[in-house]
Amino acid sequence: MKKKYLEDPLVQEFLFNIFEGDEKGFELLETLLDKGEVTEEELAKELGLKLNIIRKLLYKLYDARLVAYRKWKEEDRNWFYYTWKPTIEKLPYVLKKRVLELIKELEERLKYEKENIFFYCEKCNIRLPFDKALDYNFQCPACGSNLKEFDNTEIIKELEEQIKFLKEELKRNPIIKQSKT
């Protein structure tokens, strides 16, 4: 059942952001779900990846609270080993929390876009709010060209659509609905 989570588009987007676009992260998570508790070395061998890549991906999952580890020491070699296991059961809570954070961020950005007038430089692709443009006498701080008024209607529309989509996901997404909070 927990592997089914990985088929959800919102979960895929969430994980894609965690892995910063690295597709190997999905393979790693699937392997963890298949095997349960496993060492870093076993994961590296199974996936044909370098140990440092495995560790980097595991730490990203750990930061998202989707894996846990157990540290143990091999006494005769005085060496530490780590075994990792998925904690995918936390995904509904973690996903809901992230969606709520994202909605808050988007609402703050929407408020900023609605409350400001912007100016931009076509050459440098720099956009400044009115007060900053005024500080530069409506000239680009990089190249000195005259700044033109920027119509942010499309940005506002896009932000509103993203907020609406995420709020709908909170209500309808079966994984988020499993969250205890």
Side-chain angles (χ1 to χ4, degrees):
M1 173 60 185
K2 303 298 182 192
K3 212 168 179 186
K4 278 278 221 196
Y5 285 167
L6 302 182
E7 296 173 10
D8 184 276
L10 188 62
V11 171
Q12 290 174 353
E13 182 68 26
F14 173 68
L15 291 171
F16 190 77
N17 287 328
I18 289 171
F19 299 133
E20 298 172 352
D22 191 343
E23 299 281 332
K24 296 174 189 105
F26 290 96
E27 295 174 42
L28 175 92
L29 189 52
E30 284 186 25
T31 303
L32 275 169
L33 289 170
D34 288 340
K35 295 200 175 277
E37 194 167 5
V38 65
T39 66
E40 298 165 336
E41 292 80 6
E42 291 169 325
L43 285 168
K45 185 177 179 182
E46 173 86 17
L47 296 170
L49 297 172
K50 292 181 180 179
L51 198 53
N52 65 331
I53 292 171
I54 295 293
R55 286 181 179 140
K56 181 178 155 189
L57 293 169
L58 285 168
Y59 293 141
K60 288 177 183 181
L61 284 169
Y62 180 76
D63 286 343
R65 304 297 179 241
L66 297 177
V67 296
Y69 69 88
R70 187 171 52 91
K71 181 178 174 180
W72 51 279
K73 185 176 181 180
E74 192 174 280
E75 293 299 328
D76 58 329
R77 290 181 59 195
N78 204 24
W79 196 263
F80 286 103
Y81 290 92
Y82 296 85
T83 55
W84 296 82
K85 68 178 182 176
T87 55
I88 202 82
E89 66 276 0
K90 294 180 182 179
L91 182 64
Y93 167 76
V94 172
L95 184 61
K96 182 178 182 179
K97 182 180 175 201
R98 180 59 191 133
V99 168
L100 289 169
E101 288 169 355
L102 190 53
I103 289 170
K104 184 179 177 189
E105 290 169 18
L106 291 170
E107 287 175 338
E108 288 172 8
R109 171 95 191 278
L110 178 62
K111 182 181 179 207
Y112 178 75
E113 290 293 331
K114 285 182 170 183
E115 291 178 350
N116 286 285
I117 298 170
F118 296 92
F119 290 82
Y120 78 106
C121 174
E122 291 176 334
K123 293 179 184 175
C124 301
N125 201 24
I126 293 175
R127 186 175 80 126
L128 301 170
F130 178 83
D131 57 334
K132 292 286 183 199
L134 183 61
D135 289 347
Y136 291 109
N137 203 26
F138 297 95
Q139 296 196 332
C140 176
C143 72
S145 296
N146 288 332
L147 297 174
K148 296 183 180 182
E149 192 167 349
F150 180 82
D151 180 7
N152 65 345
T153 306
E154 284 300 314
I155 292 173
I156 290 171
K157 182 181 169 189
E158 179 67 29
L159 289 168
E160 289 171 338
E161 287 172 4
Q162 289 175 1
I163 292 166
K164 181 182 175 193
F165 170 78
L166 290 172
K167 285 183 175 181
E168 287 172 2
E169 281 293 310
L170 281 175
K171 292 177 189 170
R172 71 157 199 85
N173 187 290
I175 295 170
I176 291 175
K177 288 170 91 173
Q178 293 177 30
S179 175
K180 304 285 189 256
T181 60

